[in-house]
Every structure is written in C-alpha cells, then in structure tokens.
Amino acid sequence: MDTRKDSEVSPARRRLSRRRFIQVSALAGGGLLLAFELPVRERLAQAAALVSGTHGAGPPGFAPNAYIRLTPDGVVTLWVAKSEMGQGVMTAMPMLLAEEMDADWATLRIEQAPSTPAFGQQGTGGSTSVRQSWQPLRHAGATARAMLVAAAAAQWKVAPGDCQAKAGAVVGPQGQRADFGALAAAAARLPVPDQVKLKDPKDYTLIGKPVPRVDAAPKTNGQAVFGIDVQVPGMLVASVTQCPAFGGKLAHVDDRAARAIPGVHAVLPISSGVAVVANDFWTAKKGRDALKITWDLGPNARLDDAAIAALLHKAAQEPGVRAWKVGAGDAAVAAAQAAGGKLVEASYTLPFLAHATMEPMNCTAHVQKDRCDIWVPTQAQTFNQGTASRITGLPETAIHVHTTFLGGGFGRRFEQDFVAQAVEISKAVARPVKVMWLREDDMRHDFYRPANLALMRAALGADGTLRAWSHKVVGPSIMARVFPSRVRNGLDMGAVDGAVELPYALPNAETRYVMCNTPVPVGFWRSVGHSINGFTVESFMDEIAHAAGQDPYRFRRALLGRDKRALQTLDTAAAMAGWGKPLPAGHFHGIAMHRGFGSTVTQVAEVSVNPAGEVTVHRVSCAVDCGQVVNPNTVQAQMESAIVYGLSAALLDGIHLRDGGVVQANFDTYRVLRIDATPHVDVRIIQSGEAPGGIGEPGTPPIAPAVTNAVFAATGKRVRSLPIRAETLKA
C-alpha cells in the first residue's frame, strides 16, 4: 500500500486508484452496490499462487473482495474479506467507510465476504488490515457520498456543492432532506466521479474516537459463531491422531476396538495420521483412544533440546549472508577496539514457542461432486481454496470458504493442516465432517515460532559513544517452507525483521543471517521475526549502555537523533513510569523500544525479584505511535493483549523437545499468564498524524527485554535466554 499522505499522492494516481477499485451497479429493489478491491498482503497472495499452481501467472481480471451495499431502507452494509480474531477489524473498517460516507453508524452493518475466486484474494495477517484499507475504504465511502449528494442535488435542481451529507441523509440548501436509502436507486445510475474529496482530519466524527466493538455483544451473549460452534445438517465429527515425532509416519493400526464402539462410522488412515469419524466429538475421541497404533518415528526419533542447540551453535560458525549494513559494517568493531575502544559481546537464545490459541484448531468441510464448502476460523481464505482444490480435484471456483469468528489467530490459522484434514476426510466419507483437535494436538502439532541464537558484538569509543554494531541471526526460515521464492541467496528477510533498519543512528552496523533449518515445523507467530530480534536488540542495547556507564534511557535517547516519533514514545513511556524517580523498595525499571509494522512502541517494566529468583512484573508503561488512530479502544486493547502474550513467553515456558516430538501437552506444562499475575498496564497513544501503522503485533517485541533489563537492574544478572529461570536469579 502507498503509505504517503493523501496530499502527497498525485490527483492522477488517485483517479487511477479509484477507477481500478470501484465499480457501481444497481441492486434489485432500488439499492446501490459499490464493488472495490482491498490489497492483500503480498505473502498471502504468493501463498495462494503457490498452492493453486498459478505462481508466475499474469494478473487476474478485476475481482472485488469488498462491497458497499446500500438498500432502500437506508442500511449500509460493508461486505469485506478480513478475519475477525479479536483485533477489532469488524469495527475499525466500518468506521473508515462510515466516516467518509457520512453514514449513520447505528445503521451500518458488516458482513464476512464469502470466499470464492470471484471475490479476489483474501487473507488477514501482518497487522495490515487497517493499513491496507485506510485509503481504499475511505475513497469508496467518499465516492458513495459524492454520488448520493449528486442524486439529491439533481432531484432538487440545486448545485451539489450546496448540499451536505450528514448521518445517513443529504440535506439541501433550503432544508430539504433525503435519506440515503431513498437516493440509492438514483445514485446507482450516475457515473462514478473521477475525483472525490476526502475529509480533513479535523472534521472527523468517528475516526479517532472510542467506539464500542460491534462484535462485543454477540461474543458475550452467545450469538457469535466460532469454528468450533459450526453445525451442518448430516455432519459427522472426526478426531485425528498424528505421529508424536516430527517426520514420522504410521506403521500399523489395529482399529477393531474403535470400530466396535457405537456411533463410530469410520477409521481412516489419512495423510497426516489416523482419523476416527463418529456421530459426535466424544464418541470420536473414545474411538481414537481405543486405537492401537504403531508409529514409525522416522529419522528424528532422538531429536531433543540439546540437538537443536547443537545445530544452532554449529551453524553460528558460518559467516552468513549480509542483510543490512551501515558505514563500514561489522569490520568497524575490530577497528574501534584496536583504536582503544571497549568491546561488548553477548549471545542470546530463544526457544520454540507454540501459538496456544484459546480455540484449538478445527474445520468443517463438505465435499460434494461439484462443490466443496468449508466452514473455518481462518486467516488465509484464498490459501484454503487452493488446498481444497488440490485435494478434491475441483476448480477453485467450486470451493466456498465460510469464515467464522476466530478464537485467536496469532499466525497459526494461516496454516492449512487442519483444513486439509477436514477436506480429506469429508471426501472419503461423502458427508460433511467437522475435525476437532484436542488441546494436546494443538500443542504438539503446531507450526512453532523458530528457535533462535544471536551473536552480538559492539565497540564503544573512549568517549563512551557506540561506534560499531554487529548482529548475527541464526535460526530456521519460515519463508523457506511457506514462500521459498522470497528466500534469495540464503537470506530470509522475515527472519531479520527488527534486526535491520534500526531506528538508532549507528555510524557502523551490520546484520547477517545464517539459515539453520531443523525438523521442527516453524510458522508465523505474533510479530514473527520482530518478537525474536526485538528481545536481542533491546537486551544488547541495554548491555552496551551499562558498559558505557550510562543510563539506559538516556543512552537510547542520544542514539535516536532526529527521529521525533521514536523520541516521543521513548520520552513518554519514561515519563509515565517516573523513570529515575524513587520506586517502592525492591522495585526496579527496565526500558525497551521497538519499531515494526509501521508503528513505534516503548515500554517500561516495573519489576521485583524475590530471594527465590521469582520475577513479578508490577506495572508496564506503554507509549505507542501507530500513526492515525482509528479506534483508540482497539489500540489500547491490542497493546494490553500483546504485552500479556509477550510476558507469557518471557516468564513462563518455551517448547521443549524429547524423542522427536514436543513434551508439552496442555496449559499445565505450557503455561500462559494468568489474571492474578498480570501487571497493571498503562497505555498512552501518541497522535502523530502519520498514516496508520499496525497495532496487533507491535506491542509484543519490547516487553520481554523491558522485563529482563529490569531484572538486571534488580539483580545484576543478565538474562540472555528465555524464558526467565528462577534458579539463575536466586539471591
């Protein structure tokens, strides 16, 4: 998406954008329908092409994935292809439309677009929904407003400039008034204007205002339908057991006891394991428990944590490929040291992490002779179509994806394994089938955040200034599995997100990447590479500040130069926390800043450590600049959510491996932050007036280093490996 302000985009470019994106037609019964296209994240678009086998093909014809529907009763409906997984898109996106259309918010509705190729490519991820919709939705709303005003002006025989749209109606110069619904049919017959004027931000009545979430009511009164709630006539339920070792396969199954259970319809070996299909979930689980299976654990039967660590450390001996360089790069480290500078070195390790969504993976599919319907909580509808097409042999035009609410996504619901299972089983039994995973399945058969090793070196000048910076990122590549075309010369740029183009003014810097793939499947995890490199960069920056004998906040501040947005978040968070002021006895501060997804976030953690080495986070002060804010309620909620998510990874558990598979099975062994351990979180939103940045992910990267930097202040001990272990911090 073009992130420049409207004033920086030429009128010709704006006209081209509108002509490409907006088409108008009349609805039966006298309504108005505007069809337009929202950009889909490049990664999802490439995924769809890879799965469907059309990679490299020319661009398709116009296939809108968003519609505005205005019916004669005045109800405005936005039909859009973004998934609601708690990030608030079902509220933010209609706000963009209603603002520029001057629609009545009380009558505006949002519907999930059905997913067929006729609706274009669809997917949700990378904190892009509002960023990508910011221009197209406002332009579409302004276009609808202009056409409705023109229709009213023609009816009253006055100039359009003498009319004004307001709260779902057009008001004329003599007090005439016509509701949008009454004007819809006439507006549909008008040509689409070449140019429309967007509102000045000072005139916003919705954008930037706290608006209650439209999905809150159905989620609290039980009306919301998540994937796990789907019911289809004639539906069966399947439970799938999979090999406990990565890369293993089925050797033999004795299913006689399972088949004898009343209500069990079938026991099917499928590509990913063995499925028990029954009338209901508990019968399917009972049948699954009755299976006697022999697994061939394959080549990874002895894989464990030590083996992964050995792989990473061996790979770290390689030079890697350069991802970013400033000045003389890492060669300046040795030069600065030779000139009498101080060398600072550290290595950091991070474990594999599970997504741990509250709603385990599930999918309902109905494969028929000429079509396939899929009901699924998904982040990648277009990818789902490609997966189902490959399994069924049906064209993608025959694959219909019905998107439900998502009980958490975090990148996990981009994957296709649970969708493939449902389609494969439904095809085999010729019935609609819901696949439901156990929590244990979800934990042990995830696509995990990559384990990572980082080697850091820096040199300080005699005056205490940072002269050179070197960062080597060692870890598996997500892109090598999902989008191999994006990996060039061994470089996965997603793996170095947050380790390149740092906001700090470094005279010499270099970041290198060493790809070290393992048998453990890896995937997108909330903030992806930023969550790894944010911890490494901000932990090491703190180490350098202390080596220079300087305050960590002021050391960072000096390095930010003229970056006003970064400086403001840093200063704001420090002021919120009372940085440098006395704290309660035994409490200490740590600070960290991170930029990613078009937003900048600084967090200060207030922490204490007891004699047993147990860490308590009492308070988090968070300042965020995400550009133009659409709904401040959502920004605050997402910052709080991201902090809790990141704290779980920092304080509690990583994924451990033994005998080729994952040790953890449920929340008793893979713990997440409980409400009694959740700190008080203060969020301050900085209004910068820039184009919107992402908000679902940027709050996660800085929380772990803010906490570990505070732990150092409390104990004098550096935490260079997550999660934090109490035994290493004992007094």
Side-chain angles (χ1 to χ4, degrees), residues 163-182:
C163 302
Q164 182 181 10
K166 186 175 182 180
V170 178
V171 179
Q174 304 301 321
Q176 307 99 313
R177 179 184 174 88
D179 291 339
F180 280 178

Side-chain angles (χ1 to χ4, degrees), residues 185-495:
R189 294 191 291 268
L190 296 176
V192 180
D194 279 345
Q195 297 185 47
V196 291
K197 183 178 180 181
L198 298 180
K199 286 186 177 180
D200 189 300
K202 67 180 177 57
D203 297 325
Y204 288 159
T205 59
L206 269 178
I207 292 176
K209 307 298 189 294
V211 175
R213 290 270 295 268
V214 299
D215 57 324
K219 286 179 176 177
T220 52
N221 65 22
Q223 293 180 338
V225 176
F226 292 82
I228 208 165
D229 301 321
V230 167
Q231 295 293 324
V232 176
M235 182 184 79
L236 300 174
V237 179
S239 184
V240 178
T241 182
Q242 303 175 68
C243 182
F246 298 118
K249 61 184 179 181
L250 177 67
H252 179 264
V253 57
D254 180 349
D255 60 7
R256 287 173 294 181
R259 290 181 182 276
I261 296 173
V264 170
H265 281 254
V267 178
L268 302 170
I270 61 174
S271 58
S272 58
V274 181
V276 177
V277 188
N279 288 337
D280 55 73
F281 171 73
W282 290 111
T283 303
K285 182 183 181 300
K286 186 177 178 181
R288 168 178 164 167
D289 292 342
L291 295 174
K292 297 179 181 179
I293 297 179
T294 302
W295 297 105
D296 175 359
L297 299 182
N300 305 312
R302 296 184 179 180
L303 186 71
D304 59 12
D305 291 347
I308 295 296
L311 284 172
L312 292 174
H313 281 89
K314 181 180 179 182
Q317 305 306 311
E318 301 174 15
V321 292
R322 182 184 295 129
W324 179 57
K325 183 179 179 182
V326 175
D330 58 13
V333 174
Q337 186 185 12
K342 184 175 184 179
L343 179 66
V344 185
E345 294 183 290
S347 64
Y348 301 89
T349 59
L350 292 100
F352 292 106
L353 292 177
H355 292 82
T357 61
M358 288 305 296
E359 179 190 20
M361 298 303 106
N362 65 85
C363 178
T364 302
H366 189 192
V367 179
Q368 302 176 68
K369 181 180 179 180
D370 57 354
R371 67 178 283 154
C372 172
D373 286 272
I374 302 171
W375 295 264
V376 61
T378 181
Q379 293 178 245
Q381 292 88 340
T382 299
F383 213 165
N384 299 155
Q385 290 168 316
T387 296
S389 177
R390 174 176 51 80
I391 294 170
T392 63
L394 294 169
E396 290 189 25
T397 52
I399 311 298
H400 302 266
V401 179
H402 310 273
T403 306
T404 66
F405 281 119
L406 284 63
F410 313 124
R412 177 62 178 96
R413 287 188 155 93
F414 165 85
E415 303 296 344
Q416 301 299 299
D417 49 346
F418 55 100
V419 177
Q421 288 177 352
V423 174
E424 190 175 345
I425 297 167
S426 176
K427 179 183 177 183
V429 301
R431 293 273 296 274
V433 173
K434 179 194 288 185
V435 167
M436 291 179 60
W437 283 28
L438 307 175
R439 175 63 62 191
E440 289 77 6
D441 300 326
D442 212 39
M443 203 68 74
R444 289 177 168 165
H445 298 284
D446 202 344
F447 289 82
Y448 304 90
R449 191 191 76 170
N452 190 268
L453 169 64
L455 304 182
M456 311 294 296
R457 297 168 64 241
L460 292 165
D463 58 354
T465 59
L466 180 54
R467 298 292 179 85
W469 170 283
S470 175
H471 184 176
K472 182 185 287 187
V473 180
V474 184
S477 167
I478 300 170
M479 292 298 180
R481 176 183 69 86
V482 184
F483 307 122
S485 63
R486 290 179 63 93
V487 178
R488 300 190 177 108
N489 301 318
L491 178 58
D492 175 355
M493 287 302 297

Side-chain angles (χ1 to χ4, degrees), residues 127-153:
S127 298
T128 58
S129 293
V130 169
R131 284 192 287 166
Q132 291 179 334
S133 305
W134 172 249
Q135 296 270 14
L137 271 176
R138 288 187 304 134
H139 278 302
T143 298
R145 167 174 41 88
M147 296 174 71
L148 291 163
V149 167

Side-chain angles (χ1 to χ4, degrees), residues 606-662:
E606 183 180 326
V607 167
S608 67
V609 184
N610 69 18
E614 297 166 333
V615 175
T616 299
V617 182
H618 300 275
R619 188 184 193 94
V620 177
S621 302
C622 173
V624 52
D625 180 347
C626 57
Q628 173 64 57
V629 174
V630 177
N631 188 349
N633 287 355
T634 298
V635 175
Q636 178 170 339
Q638 285 299 294
M639 285 294 106
E640 293 168 347
S641 165
I643 287 168
V644 169
Y645 200 71
L647 280 174
S648 294
L651 298 175
L652 299 172
D653 286 297
I655 286 294
H656 297 292
L657 305 173
R658 185 174 62 227
D659 299 329
V662 171

